[in-house]
Amino acid sequence: MPSWRERPAFQQPSYPDLAHLNTVVADLRSRPPLVFAGEVDSLRQRMAQVEQGQAFALMGGDCAESFIQSSADNIRLKVQTILQMAAVLTYGASMPVVKIGRMAGQYAKPRSSDTETRDGVTLPAYRGDCVNGYNFTKECRTPDPDRMLDAYLRAGTTLNLIRAFTMGGYADLREVHSWNRGFTANPAYSRFETLAAELDRAMRFMDAAGVDFDALSRVEFFSSHEALLLEYEDAMIREDSRSGRLYDTSAHFLWVGERTRGADDAHVTLLRGVTNPVGVKIGPDAAPSDLIALMDRLNPNGESGRLTFITRMGAHRIDDALPALVEAVKADGRPVSWMTDPMHGNTIMSDTGYKTRNFATILDEIRSFFRVHQSLGTVPGGIHVELTGDDVTECIGGGESISETALAERYETLVDPRLNHQQSLEVAFEVAEMLRG
Ligand code: PEP
Ligand code: CO
């Protein structure tokens, strides 16, 4: 297996002190894994079901997690939002929903420019809390390897809380259902009345039939992030003592971004060596041969549950760009899961100067994703969204009709605009209706 160190590596920070970097990396290598091989294997089995249309995947969380926002409330609200979405989607799909938080490690960001200039001052661009600080000062923006240790600890405490919530009763379906009733009681969402009433009836039926709700209060919940910062990901690779295979133990699922997905570049090469289920973001300019090359590198033998293509085309391009890619992969025959990321191809600048996304456009891309897969006889396997459990105003539109002027009220993201709690649930109800057909 080639080493990623011999390959072109894009989007990496330049650390001023390499000895410091090496000390931190050696320290990280000696620390316990954040996730365990057995859990990663379980997710691979779940992703194999997604491939075959026997489960639906929901991946969601911040564009960039920040250290300061890794508080208990913040994490709880994100988990709650994902659990609420999953309950609705489970009903809509009549299938298990694989729940994956874009959480507990989403601390490194690719940027369009290496630097940022304000009032004649040029500093390194913010690359995520794992790399440097957001404040526009030289001190903050200088990449600091110690941040990797902080990221590791924050990821660990975040996972600890996620495990407590999802194993300790917080995920009780009755509770989740009652939160969803609170959502649909809002007149802004009256169009979901029929679905809400059906969900109510289904819950009463389960109760009457003697379903063991206590057993349903524990759910599997996985973590994912972009495997961007090569030194960090490499330092988290561990050999499983049972099988001798390598796992990237920084998260259950890792993906490579649109900007770093070259089949022979460093990021894909790093993920070739690990057993985790992996994803690759695919933009509208990808060629069918790019996808085949990625399959050759990441899943040469066509193992199930290994590879996911997360398409992020833009609502205006998906109908033209996606079919040829899906057809080429279908003709190849090796299995993949397809997920839609309806966020990253649909970012716009508001007249008021905010990076935003329009709720209606996001839904348009999801609808096209389903339509394309249905017409080609392939499986629309899941959705990947940027969301938060908080009541922010970052994406315009939705039932609460957030306007361009309202963006100023609670615009808190450090990088890309996220769906707020209500908008996330609205997406889930809409997708549930698409899944029901
Ligand atoms: C992201 O998911 O935040 C991201 C940068 O996506 P992409 O690689 O698809 O642009
Ligand atoms: Co983003």
Side-chain angles (χ1 to χ4, degrees):
M1 188 67 68
S3 163
W4 62 264
R5 291 184 190 277
E6 295 152 15
R7 301 296 172 88
F10 298 103
Q11 299 284 344
Q12 300 306 293
S14 327
Y15 292 105
D17 180 350
L18 289 179
H20 186 187
L21 172 67
N22 290 334
T23 311
V24 168
V25 164
D27 182 353
L28 272 177
R29 259 183 232 294
S30 72
R31 296 187 183 214
L34 291 172
V35 304
F36 303 98
E39 298 169 350
V40 175
D41 291 342
S42 298
L43 180 57
R44 274 199 57 161
Q45 284 167 15
R46 300 286 168 267
M47 293 312 293
Q49 293 175 318
V50 170
E51 253 162 40
Q52 289 160 20
Q54 293 164 359
F56 191 75
L58 168 64
M59 200 182 301
D62 293 298
C63 179
E65 285 179 286
S66 72
F67 292 168
I68 199 159
Q69 282 181 8
S70 64
S71 67
D73 274 348
N74 199 282
I75 296 162
R76 179 177 53 78
L77 289 171
K78 248 181 294 185
V79 171
Q80 176 180 333
T81 305
I82 293 171
L83 291 174
Q84 285 185 254
M85 293 174 80
V88 179
L89 290 170
T90 305
Y91 181 78
S94 302
M95 281 192 272
V97 170
V98 185
K99 296 169 270 301
I100 311 172
R102 187 183 152 119
M103 296 173 73
Q106 178 55 22
Y107 297 118
K109 297 306 300 171
R111 301 315 305 259
S112 43
S113 170
D114 277 342
T115 57
E116 184 182 343
T117 301
R118 289 190 201 171
D119 303 326
V121 179
T122 300
L123 293 174
Y126 171 65
R127 289 191 167 276
D129 277 7
C130 195
V131 175
N132 57 1
Y134 187 73
N135 288 345
F136 195 72
T137 62
K138 185 161 189 298
E139 194 194 357
C140 232
R141 287 292 175 93
T142 303
D144 178 358
D146 283 341
R147 286 180 164 272
M148 287 196 268
L149 297 174
D150 206 353
Y152 167 86
L153 293 174
R154 302 258 177 190
T157 48
T158 302
L159 274 170
N160 185 49
L161 204 55
I162 291 176
R163 291 184 203 280
F165 284 141
T166 54
M167 294 312 218
Y170 186 74
D172 188 320
L173 188 59
R174 287 164 295 194
E175 197 63 32
V176 175
H177 178 63
S178 81
W179 295 328
N180 277 341
R181 274 169 103 161
F183 167 78
T184 48
N186 181 337
Y189 306 113
S190 57
R191 69 183 189 283
F192 301 129
E193 244 164 40
T194 316
L195 190 50
E198 280 179 36
L199 270 162
D200 253 340
R201 225 179 350 261
M203 289 295 291
R204 287 201 301 275
F205 169 73
M206 286 166 73
D207 197 17
V211 160
D212 181 359
F213 278 105
D214 288 335
L216 289 181
S217 69
R218 286 177 294 279
V219 300
E220 274 184 326
F221 197 105
F222 301 99
S223 66
S224 72
H225 63 256
E226 177 172 353
L228 181 70
L229 191 55
L230 293 159
E231 292 290 359
Y232 179 80
E233 299 304 333
D234 188 80
M236 291 306 297
I237 295 176
R238 304 280 180 277
E239 186 180 308
D240 174 33
S241 55
R242 303 163 310 167
S243 64
R245 290 188 301 179
L246 298 176
Y247 290 76
D248 181 341
T249 65
S250 70
H252 300 104
F253 182 103
L254 284 315
W255 78 85
V256 177
E258 160 75 358
R259 293 171 233 213
T260 52
R261 65 169 166 75
D264 291 312
D265 294 345
H267 290 83
V268 169
T269 305
L270 179 124
L271 291 187
R272 280 173 72 171
V274 299
T275 312
N276 306 57
V278 295
V280 184
K281 293 282 204 90
I282 303 290
D285 297 318
S289 58
D290 294 344
L291 277 67
I292 304 303
L294 288 163
M295 293 166 80
D296 288 342
R297 305 300 185 282
L298 291 168
N299 195 19
N301 303 322
E303 290 173 28
S304 53
R306 162 72 170 165
L307 181 59
T308 300
F309 287 134
I310 306 168
T311 60
R312 30 87 83 220
M313 301 281 159
H316 59 300
R317 300 212 39 202
I318 180 168
D319 291 319
D320 288 332
L322 186 56
L325 302 177
V326 174
E327 281 182 275
V329 170
K330 186 180 170 189
D332 178 277
R334 283 174 290 189
V336 301
S337 306
W338 294 98
M339 293 181 73
T340 175
D341 162 359
M343 315 296 292
H344 288 88
N346 297 313
T347 314
I348 52 171
M349 208 44 136
S350 75
D351 291 339
T352 46
Y354 289 92
K355 208 175 172 191
T356 187
R357 291 160 174 156
N358 191 324
F359 187 83
T361 316
I362 292 170
L363 279 188
D364 280 346
E365 177 152 0
I366 302 178
R367 257 187 225 106
S368 290
F369 172 78
F370 276 97
R371 209 180 311 118
V372 168
H373 284 287
Q374 268 143 13
S375 73
L376 296 175
T378 43
V379 176
I383 60 172
H384 174 117
V385 285
E386 287 184 342
L387 59 79
T388 168
D390 300 319
D391 196 17
V392 300
T393 55
E394 298 172 5
C395 291
I396 54 178
E400 310 226 297
S401 307
I402 294 177
S403 66
E404 292 206 356
T405 353
L407 291 176
E409 286 167 20
R410 272 198 74 181
Y411 193 94
E412 296 177 4
T413 184
L414 296 185
V415 185
D416 287 338
R418 303 159 294 178
L419 297 167
N420 66 22
H421 176 73
Q422 310 274 53
Q423 290 170 326
S424 303
L425 294 177
E426 220 175 323
V427 164
F429 272 88
E430 293 282 359
V431 172
E433 292 196 330
M434 293 177 212
L435 284 162
R436 273 197 319 175

